Amino acid sequence: MSVTEMFSYIQGFLSADQDVREDIRKVVQTLEQTAREILTVLQSVHQPSGFKEIPNKCAKARELFCTVRTQIAELKTKFPVEQYYRFHEHWRFVLQRLAFLAAFVVYLESESLVTREEVAQILGIEVVREKGFHLDVEDYLAGVLIMASELSRLAVNSVTAGDYNRPLRISNFINELDSGFRLLNLKNDPLRKRYDGLKYDVKKIEEVVYDLSIRGLAKEPEAAGEK
Amino acid sequence: MNKRESEGCSRRNADAAQEHDLSANPPSSVVAAFKVFQQELDTKHDKYERLVKISRDVTIESKRTIFLLHRVTTVPDAEDILNEADVKLDGVRQKIGQIAEELRGEDIYQFHRAFTPGIQEYVEAVSFLHYIRHRNLISLEEINARLVFMKTEKADPKGSAEAMPLGAQVLTFQVTPSDYLLGVADLTGELMRMCISSVGNGDIDTPFQLSQFLRQIHDGFSYIGNTGPYEVSKKLHTLRQSLGKVEDACYTLRVRGSEIPKHMLADVFSSRTTLIDPEEGVV
């Protein structure tokens, strides 16, 4: 094979690769759009009026997740399934956002931590790599960490809205999450950086809880007050 | 060591935290779930570290092979050196076999970052050896054909991922086109060095052959341009410099060749290269 032939073979490979990436980028853009819409819906829980409408908002968000499922199904058709990690960085960001949104919806509904299986189910994808387009464990954990900072905001705003019990529950939840994350041996990677932010969320919520208990606003201060 | 210590430490903390939680609210499914994640992440990180280690070994051995090949002059022991290099590269291939072993059933792109430097260096060494022997560019197929392990059966040349489940005995490793491209870009630097040293040895044919070959490679890279990975454009700059040096050498050989006795040309080149070298600092 001559040098020229070799290079034109490689060039053929590279431009095919670029085409695939172009296709993926287009679908990911629509996915990002939907993710933003869901976020907008959920953001209204921070409004004083939004607290009464939480189930309502969650139902709306759940509806939008249907769109997500069809969009992800489309994304799956754009590349061979065993090359997931070759193009991973194209959808990593949006998948983390979606994991966060799913986790947030589930928290608002049931005040519990979403499992990885549930997120995968909400997004219409697999849990294990062997079965196809899946949710990487690091992306799931990143999504959970985004939710933690959202919850610290929610704690502040729920006090403003006059809901003094929610911060205590959030505090319990975040503490549990924190002890969970402390089990992990993280490398010096983006996930680790994000995890380092968790302590500030914990601190923020503790301050809110402190403020409430010192003023006697919390009904059961012994539940989470001194944590 | 360090890792183990910190692991133990974090586990102790976590256990304490867990007990604390248990007293607060008995069933802690969260902690149970994170135990699973811990295991999964650790397995992945361990595999990654093992691959990095193998990749480093591959890099070192490939570099040594390249140094060995630079000792080839037109003296009669050239064949011995080439055979020795072959033996060394066989050792490297064994190591790549270990990488293939680690990657069995995995998505190779998930761990690609761990072993790409080693593979590029291997491509560089193997293509350098091939050039010295056959005076042409080794193709991607030829490289991949030698990276079939355990059995000599020819495996499906398309994508190791599909090939692996076919037979457990056959293990293939596929060099990706981008790794190949980057390895070839590094090869040009070695060829430039070979050109200059061959002039020093009084060989005046090799520089002309090399300049022609380098020009072909340069044209190939220009053809690919910016469709390639981002690193290619960086290497293209170095490639231009190498080509410039070789072309200058040929030019001087032509111009001065008739005036100066051949054994004195080496002085001319050493002064020329020192003139050019400082530019490398700019890269």
Side-chain angles (χ1 to χ4, degrees), chain A residues 85-86 116 129 138 183 185, chain B residues 14 38 40 42 105 107 109:
Chain A
Y85 284 100
R86 181 156 154 211
R116 198 172 155 205
R129 187 180 66 82
E138 293 188 31
L183 284 175
N185 309 306
Chain B
Q38 177 199 50
E40 195 175 333
D42 284 353
D107 184 335
Y109 289 98

Side-chain angles (χ1 to χ4, degrees), chain A residues 1 3 6-11 13-15 18 81-86 113 116 129-130 136-138 140-141 144 175-177 179-187 189 191 227, chain B residues 7 10 14 17 20-21 25 28 30-31 34-35 37-38 40-42 44-45 48-49 105-107 109-110 137 139-141 161-162 177 180-181 213 216 220-221 223-224 227-228:
Chain A
M1 198 181 243
V3 176
M6 196 62 230
F7 273 94
S8 68
Y9 165 74
I10 302 263
Q11 153 69 23
F13 169 85
L14 289 173
S15 54
Q18 269 195 336
V81 70
E82 72 277 1
Q83 298 185 358
Y84 180 91
Y85 284 100
R86 181 156 154 211
L113 176 65
R116 198 172 155 205
R129 187 180 66 82
E130 282 77 10
D136 190 273
V137 66
E138 293 188 31
Y140 163 75
L141 292 173
V144 170
N175 274 314
E176 209 175 343
L177 216 57
S179 59
F181 270 100
R182 257 183 284 151
L183 284 175
L184 305 179
N185 309 306
L186 295 173
K187 287 215 299 188
D189 58 3
L191 186 59
K227 261 202 168 177
Chain B
E7 192 182 329
S10 65
H20 198 91
D21 275 348
N25 46 334
S28 181
V30 173
V31 171
F34 274 86
K35 281 236 165 86
F37 299 148
Q38 177 199 50
E40 195 175 333
L41 284 174
D42 284 353
K44 200 161 101 182
H45 291 164
Y48 190 90
E49 288 306 319
E106 298 280 352
D107 184 335
Y109 289 98
Q110 187 175 9
L137 182 66
S139 72
L140 183 56
E141 280 81 21
E162 301 109 276
Y180 171 77
L181 207 57
F213 184 62
Q216 280 177 346
F221 271 100
Y223 176 60
I224 282 174
T227 43

Side-chain angles (χ1 to χ4, degrees), chain B residues 259-271:
Chain B
E259 305 170 357
I260 310 178
K262 268 170 201 153
H263 67 273
M264 289 178 65
L265 275 175
D267 300 335
V268 179
F269 281 106
S270 56
S271 62

Side-chain angles (χ1 to χ4, degrees), chain A:
Chain A
M1 198 181 243
S2 81
V3 176
T4 325
E5 277 167 2
M6 196 62 230
F7 273 94
S8 68
Y9 165 74
I10 302 263
Q11 153 69 23
F13 169 85
L14 289 173
S15 54
D17 188 73
Q18 269 195 336
D19 290 347
V20 173
R21 284 175 197 275
E22 202 60 49
D23 283 351
I24 290 175
R25 227 166 279 150
K26 271 182 207 141
V27 184
V28 166
Q29 253 168 24
T30 64
L31 212 48
E32 277 169 349
Q33 177 60 38
T34 320
R36 278 196 297 271
E37 280 168 28
I38 299 176
L39 186 63
T40 319
V41 169
L42 292 179
Q43 282 299 310
S44 55
V45 300
H46 292 293
Q47 305 287 344
S49 57
F51 277 91
K52 289 148 218 126
E53 292 172 39
I54 284 178
N56 203 344
K57 302 283 178 202
C58 289
K60 226 179 191 174
R62 289 258 185 196
E63 264 170 49
L64 283 166
F65 271 114
C66 290
T67 323
V68 169
R69 277 194 287 274
T70 53
Q71 281 165 346
I72 289 184
E74 199 190 338
L75 178 61
K76 284 178 198 166
T77 63
K78 298 295 178 196
F79 65 98
V81 70
E82 72 277 1
Q83 298 185 358
Y84 180 91
Y85 284 100
R86 181 156 154 211
F87 307 110
H88 188 194
E89 74 269 29
H90 290 297
W91 57 75
R92 172 171 250 163
F93 177 77
V94 72
L95 209 55
Q96 290 178 358
R97 300 298 288 184
L98 288 169
F100 148 60
L101 293 167
F104 197 36
V105 168
V106 170
Y107 179 80
L108 290 175
E109 283 169 355
S110 62
E111 307 221 335
S112 64
L113 176 65
V114 69
T115 63
R116 198 172 155 205
E117 287 75 15
E118 272 176 282
V119 179
Q121 200 201 338
I122 291 172
L123 302 181
I125 58 182
E126 302 292 338
V127 179
V128 285
R129 187 180 66 82
E130 282 77 10
K131 282 191 184 153
F133 195 96
H134 66 285
L135 178 66
D136 190 273
V137 66
E138 293 188 31
D139 291 342
Y140 163 75
L141 292 173
V144 170
L145 285 171
I146 303 176
M147 178 181 66
S149 51
E150 195 63 26
L151 287 182
S152 75
R153 227 189 111 201
L154 186 65
V156 173
N157 289 329
S158 59
V159 173
T160 319
D163 184 348
Y164 298 142
N165 279 323
R166 189 178 287 272
L168 304 185
R169 296 199 301 271
I170 292 179
S171 169
N172 267 334
F173 180 74
I174 290 272
N175 274 314
E176 209 175 343
L177 216 57
D178 187 44
S179 59
F181 270 100
R182 257 183 284 151
L183 284 175
L184 305 179
N185 309 306
L186 295 173
K187 287 215 299 188
N188 209 1
D189 58 3
L191 186 59
R192 163 71 189 273
K193 254 175 229 147
R194 191 160 267 158
Y195 163 67
D196 287 343
L198 182 61
K199 57 176 178 279
Y200 300 111
D201 301 328
V202 173
K203 184 172 173 244
K204 182 89 195 165
I205 296 168
E206 278 173 356
E207 279 168 7
V208 172
V209 171
Y210 171 78
D211 282 343
L212 289 177
S213 22
I214 204 169
R215 288 169 182 80
L217 288 171
K219 273 181 196 156
E220 322 113 309
E222 72 283 354
E226 70 287 338
K227 261 202 168 177

Side-chain angles (χ1 to χ4, degrees), chain B residues 48 103 107-117 176 178-179:
Chain B
Y48 190 90
L103 291 177
D107 184 335
I108 65 159
Y109 289 98
Q110 187 175 9
F111 299 99
H112 190 241
R113 284 234 317 279
F115 57 81
T116 176
T176 65
S178 349
D179 281 346

